[in-house]
Amino acid sequence: MHQVSLSARDVDDVFAVVDELAGRFPGVEDEAFLDEAAVFAHELPRALRSALNTMRLGEPAGAMLVSGFPVDDVAIGRTPVYRGRQEAAGVTRREEMFFFLCGALLGDAIGWATQQDARLMHDVLPIPGHENVQLNSASEMEIWWHVEDAFHPYRADYVGLMCLRNHDGVPTTYAALGEPPLPAETVEVLFQPRFLIRPDNSHLAARAGDGPPGGEARVVPAMPIAVLFGDRAAPYLRPDPYFMEPTPDDPRAQEAFALLTARLDANLRGVPLRPGEVLFVDNYLAVHGRRPFRARYDGRDRWLKRLNITRDLRKSRDARSSPASRVLGTFGAVDQERRRPSWTTQTSTGA
Ligand SMILES: NC(=[NH2+])NCCC[C@H](N)C(=O)O
Ligand SMILES: O=C(O)CCC(=O)C(=O)O
Ligand SMILES: [Fe+2]
């Protein structure tokens, strides 16, 4: 894992920046803050900017850990029982601003109209009634490793997770493909759209708010996608096994998928994030998830913040209302991808 740790001097410099911004802006969702976040980010310490730049440009690892930002467990208040409902406005403003500025050095934060009330800064915390569902608000259920929003062509390049509280040291998990390369025939099959994927429940439960999932779930047909893409010698990833399956009656696709999942299972590592730590997972190079735990619902629960970051805001212009808007509001791009020629046509000359 790529790592950078803030020195004592760095921490002072970071606080000088975030204290000033926290005095000027109500929070990271504020339009005026968003308009200039990429400018403010250049006031972070150079060692931190340099490490993020290396992560973006050189792709040295599937994940990067930024440590050393101090979090005051009392000052941040109780872990909310529902997302987006902190006890007092602004209790985590400095933490969120630091996290957001780090992210701004990798790209632009995006949100989804269908997730967490279209906020950019998501909460990751256990919600009563969600214990055993495949959502980040679950607890007793393992979050299966996945590429974030794998079903969507405008999914993030990076998923950022900032830990505010994690008293039980519950591990986030991540895995990259690693060495040795998968067999060339396997890679060839995985590069073809022979795998059916559905949107994960976090988008389907949108209209049901934070209540128990279900209810008004929109029925979205499964879509055929490739699970690997990019350079065949060092492929990018797009699997989310919980919400996908190889095309029925396609034993070669099944075999290749089994090899891929076995490799990622074997490489899966746990990272118990500590308060103040920020993990950026490269959503092309690595999958991530979370180990199961027992929720408390007493205000001391595990609490992370999450950001989705894209390197290219423009590519999703048809899903956003204006050039600077960061909320993806339509599933039009998914429909377009679904209308492509089917994999049988595309692969007539392939494996
Ligand atoms: N295999 C999965 N995709 N699990 C769901 C992951 C968490 C989901 N992205 C959420 O925001 O709640
Ligand atoms: O809880 C975690 O550590 C990760 C959850 C997750 O996969 C997500 O929020 O996207
Ligand atoms: Fe995730």
Side-chain angles (χ1 to χ4, degrees):
M1 186 155 55
H2 190 49
Q3 302 214 21
V4 63
S5 175
L6 302 179
S7 68
R9 169 80 193 276
D10 290 341
V11 173
D12 288 345
D13 292 349
V14 164
F15 272 98
V17 178
V18 297
D19 282 342
E20 188 238 331
L21 296 174
R24 274 170 68 193
F25 301 99
V28 300
E29 311 280 341
D30 179 71
E31 291 283 332
F33 175 80
L34 290 173
D35 283 347
E36 285 199 274
V39 179
F40 304 144
H42 287 279
E43 292 165 33
L44 290 175
R46 186 183 284 181
L48 173 57
R49 284 183 287 135
S50 168
L52 287 159
N53 182 58
T54 300
M55 178 71 178
R56 187 179 61 83
L57 219 46
E59 303 183 7
M64 168 176 182
L65 187 70
V66 179
S67 51
F69 185 89
V71 170
D72 179 337
D73 192 63
V74 176
I76 61 172
R78 293 157 60 87
T79 303
V81 176
Y82 293 101
R83 291 186 283 233
R85 304 200 202 146
Q86 285 164 209
E87 283 185 325
V91 282
T92 58
R93 187 183 300 163
R94 283 175 179 73
E95 288 75 9
E96 291 180 44
M97 284 182 164
F98 170 65
F99 179 27
F100 199 95
L101 295 184
C102 290
L105 291 161
L106 292 172
D108 286 299
I110 50 168
W112 301 92
T114 45
Q115 254 192 1
Q116 303 213 15
D117 299 324
R119 283 189 304 277
L120 304 179
M121 184 64 73
H122 292 172
D123 279 308
V124 180
L125 43 81
I127 294 178
H130 290 202
E131 290 81 4
N132 285 297
V133 292
Q134 193 57 209
L135 288 173
N136 69 15
S137 45
S139 44
E140 280 155 45
M141 190 184 219
E142 166 121 10
I143 299 183
W144 287 34
W145 54 253
H146 58 281
V147 157
E148 196 70 16
D149 302 312
F151 71 97
H152 205 290
Y154 300 156
R155 66 193 174 283
D157 290 87
Y158 304 95
V159 180
L161 295 165
M162 180 176 200
C163 179
L164 296 179
R165 175 172 288 139
N166 188 13
H167 289 322
D168 298 324
V170 178
T172 300
T173 56
Y174 81 101
L177 271 181
E179 294 292 332
L182 293 171
E185 320 81 69
T186 304
V187 170
E188 212 43 55
V189 174
L190 296 170
F191 262 71
Q192 296 163 8
R194 291 160 78 160
F195 308 88
L196 298 170
I197 189 161
R198 285 172 292 119
D200 79 58
N201 296 333
S202 64
H203 291 271
L204 295 181
R207 270 176 249 127
D210 282 338
E216 256 194 280
R218 188 156 77 99
V219 180
V220 180
M223 177 178 73
I225 63 161
V227 288
L228 296 184
F229 62 104
D231 179 4
R232 278 171 169 73
Y236 291 140
L237 295 164
R238 197 182 174 182
D240 182 354
Y242 192 90
F243 293 101
M244 76 194 303
E245 57 189 6
T247 322
D249 303 321
D250 187 349
R252 298 192 60 199
Q254 268 149 33
E255 201 182 307
F257 198 65
L259 272 177
L260 174 71
T261 54
R263 168 64 67 87
L264 291 168
D265 279 341
N267 289 353
L268 200 66
R269 299 272 174 282
V271 193
L273 291 175
R274 288 175 307 184
E277 288 183 335
V278 177
L279 182 72
F280 286 107
V281 178
D282 186 321
N283 203 35
Y284 279 34
L285 292 178
V287 294
H288 68 279
R290 192 219 63 227
R291 297 295 184 203
F293 66 102
R294 179 62 55 92
R296 316 165 181 231
Y297 306 129
D298 63 351
R300 320 301 309 160
D301 267 315
R302 182 175 189 266
W303 185 14
L304 314 184
K305 292 279 173 179
R306 180 179 71 181
L307 287 172
N308 279 296
I309 292 159
T310 183
R311 289 167 58 135
D312 179 9
L313 194 55
R314 272 192 181 191
K315 73 179 174 196
S316 60
R317 182 64 184 83
D318 63 348
R320 295 177 298 105
S321 62
S322 65
S325 156
R326 293 153 172 275
V327 179
L328 277 61
T330 78
F331 276 61
V334 177
D335 296 333
Q336 265 175 38
E337 194 174 14
R338 187 179 286 120
R339 280 195 296 271
R340 284 180 322 193
S342 78
W343 67 269
T344 40
T345 327
Q346 283 195 354
T347 59
S348 54
T349 57

